[in-house]
């Protein structure tokens, strides 16, 4: 298990299945390896998943929007770090 997935499990393993799954997917889809970005990923993903009704199905478009949101948040975070 790579460091980022171990850190994800350690820090966010008790989150609901949808949030954890989408965090893992964003890490995979965006090839994220920096464990310091986990909080940024969580904030972005949880915005979409925390109030998602259980009776509604989470679809492909929801996943795409969520991963794109993570991408934008990560890019912003990296630019902020570089400017500091």
């Amino acid at each position: 298990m790579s460091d980022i997935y171990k850190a994800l499990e350690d820090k966010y393993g008790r989150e609901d299945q949808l949030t954890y799954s989408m965090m893992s997917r964003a890490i995979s889809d965006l090839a994220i390896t920096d464990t310091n970005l986990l909080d940024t990923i969580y904030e972005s993903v949880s915005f979409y998943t925390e109030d998602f009704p259980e009776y509604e199905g989470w679809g492909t478009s929801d996943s795409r929007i969520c991963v794109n949101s993570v991408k934008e948040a990560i890019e912003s975070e990296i630019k902020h770090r570089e400017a500091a």
Side-chain angles (χ1 to χ4, degrees), residues 19-82:
T19 300
Y20 184 86
S21 175
M22 285 310 306
M23 289 181 72
S24 181
R25 179 170 179 172
I27 289 166
S28 175
D29 287 1
L30 301 173
I32 299 167
T33 58
D34 184 351
T35 59
N36 294 314
L37 294 172
L38 282 175
D39 290 341
T40 303
I41 296 167
Y42 174 74
E43 288 172 16
S44 186
V45 168
S46 67
F47 176 81
Y48 290 97
T49 61
E50 73 180 358
D51 292 328
F52 193 80
E54 290 185 28
Y55 57 86
E56 288 188 29
W58 183 270
T60 304
S61 61
D62 297 307
S63 295
R64 188 172 45 251
I65 290 167
C66 190
V67 170
N68 284 339
S69 174
V70 171
K71 181 179 178 183
E72 291 173 6
I74 294 297
E75 288 171 350
S76 178
E77 178 66 21
I78 290 171
K79 284 180 185 177
H80 177 72
R81 288 180 183 181
E82 290 172 351

